[in-house]
Amino acid sequence: MWIEETRSGLSLQIARTIMSLRKLVVSSALAARRASPFSLSGARATYSSNVLIHMGGTDQGEIFSDAHKAICGTGGEVKESRSVRLGGRFSQMFLVANVDEATVELALKDFGHGIDYLNVQAARQTTRDMKGPYCATSPLVPFVRHARLTVPWKRGVVNEVTELLNVNGVTVTDLDEYRAGKDVVLEGFAHLPTGLSEFPVVDESRLLRKMEEMGVKVLEFAKVVGQDPPKE
């Protein structure tokens, strides 16, 4: 009799302990769900932050101007954008600050202009300075170069030029490539290594000489002058 009562008491105590643990797990999950920008069900949570918009479709009309107007109409601030037209299609990317993901997605969903692709997601934070990557206060500005190069076209020549930059630790962040007669023109921004990672500070003069030895004509490889936005 005593053994049975003891077993019953232990079973009741174990059951109560399990119930307490279940409540703790559920409470923790709910707290994590509230803290996370994404819901556990996979549905998009809305919050004001920096978002990246990528859209594309059939090239028609004043797409860039109208898209910019629609985004700004949500109260967001366009920090950076890229727009390109190729082969009868367009592709645009916007980095937007202080905007609600769901709101800006809704504004662009019925935008028209032949859009058949739209993606809006939280932007990965790459810098604490949201005034822009080339503002005067950015520590990276001294390492940024605006590059404009031309080279006689041959198969694989662009790969050779960009590979030379890569092996020297130079990161090409933006690059336009187009043909001009028998030449290929490359224009964009390159970030020289800061010397703080695995790549040492590059000898810029030596790098430019190497490119010229490859037949590259360096029209520009100039430092970017950082500027702050106008004071309000």
Side-chain angles (χ1 to χ4, degrees):
M1 186 71 174
W2 177 81
I3 294 175
E4 292 298 326
E5 289 178 353
T6 301
R7 285 178 178 174
S8 177
L10 286 173
S11 298
L12 182 60
Q13 185 176 359
I14 292 172
R16 287 174 176 172
T17 302
I18 291 173
M19 287 297 295
S20 298
L21 289 173
R22 284 179 177 173
K23 289 180 180 179
L24 179 62
V25 170
V26 171
S27 298
S28 299
L30 290 173
R33 181 173 180 174
R34 287 192 294 266
S36 173
F38 301 100
S39 67
L40 298 179
S41 64
R44 184 188 301 278
T46 58
Y47 63 100
S48 293
S49 184
N50 301 295
V51 302
L52 184 65
I53 301 167
H54 186 197
M55 53 194 289
T58 305
D59 185 10
Q60 54 180 286
E62 294 300 323
I63 302 164
F64 182 80
S65 175
D66 290 346
H68 203 282
K69 186 185 300 182
I71 293 168
C72 292
T74 66
E77 179 186 356
V78 177
K79 290 293 186 179
E80 292 188 63
S81 64
R82 305 286 185 273
S83 182
V84 63
R85 287 182 167 102
L86 282 176
R89 290 183 62 81
F90 76 90
S91 179
Q92 294 180 346
M93 297 182 74
F94 297 88
L95 178 62
V96 186
N98 304 318
V99 70
D100 182 271
E101 289 181 60
T103 300
V104 74
E105 187 170 9
L106 183 64
L108 293 172
K109 190 164 287 184
D110 300 323
F111 177 65
H113 285 299
I115 289 179
D116 53 32
Y117 175 79
L118 174 63
N119 180 263
V120 181
Q121 59 181 285
R124 181 170 65 91
Q125 295 295 335
T126 56
T127 176
R128 292 181 179 179
D129 192 342
M130 288 311 297
K131 288 181 289 185
Y134 306 132
C135 71
T137 57
S138 172
L140 297 179
V141 165
F143 301 94
V144 181
R145 300 292 182 269
H146 181 260
R148 189 164 184 266
L149 319 170
T150 65
V151 61
W153 183 88
K154 67 175 182 178
R155 190 176 299 277
V157 69
V158 175
N159 178 61
E160 293 176 9
V161 174
T162 53
E163 179 65 16
L164 174 64
L165 296 173
N166 288 339
V167 297
N168 283 276
V170 179
T171 302
V172 178
T173 55
D174 302 276
L175 184 67
D176 290 332
E177 172 190 346
Y178 55 91
R179 298 285 290 275
K182 296 181 180 181
D183 293 337
V184 178
V185 179
L186 303 174
E187 186 171 6
F189 290 95
H191 289 231
L192 303 180
T194 61
L196 299 178
S197 58
E198 67 273 21
F199 290 101
V201 175
V202 69
D203 185 336
E204 204 167 332
S205 299
R206 185 167 175 268
L207 177 65
L208 296 179
R209 283 198 305 271
K210 281 187 176 181
M211 284 197 287
E212 290 173 351
E213 290 169 2
M214 294 173 57
V216 177
K217 187 175 182 180
V218 181
L219 301 178
E220 183 181 358
F221 203 79
K223 291 183 178 181
V224 171
V225 179
Q227 295 183 347
D228 280 326
K231 296 181 179 179
E232 296 181 357

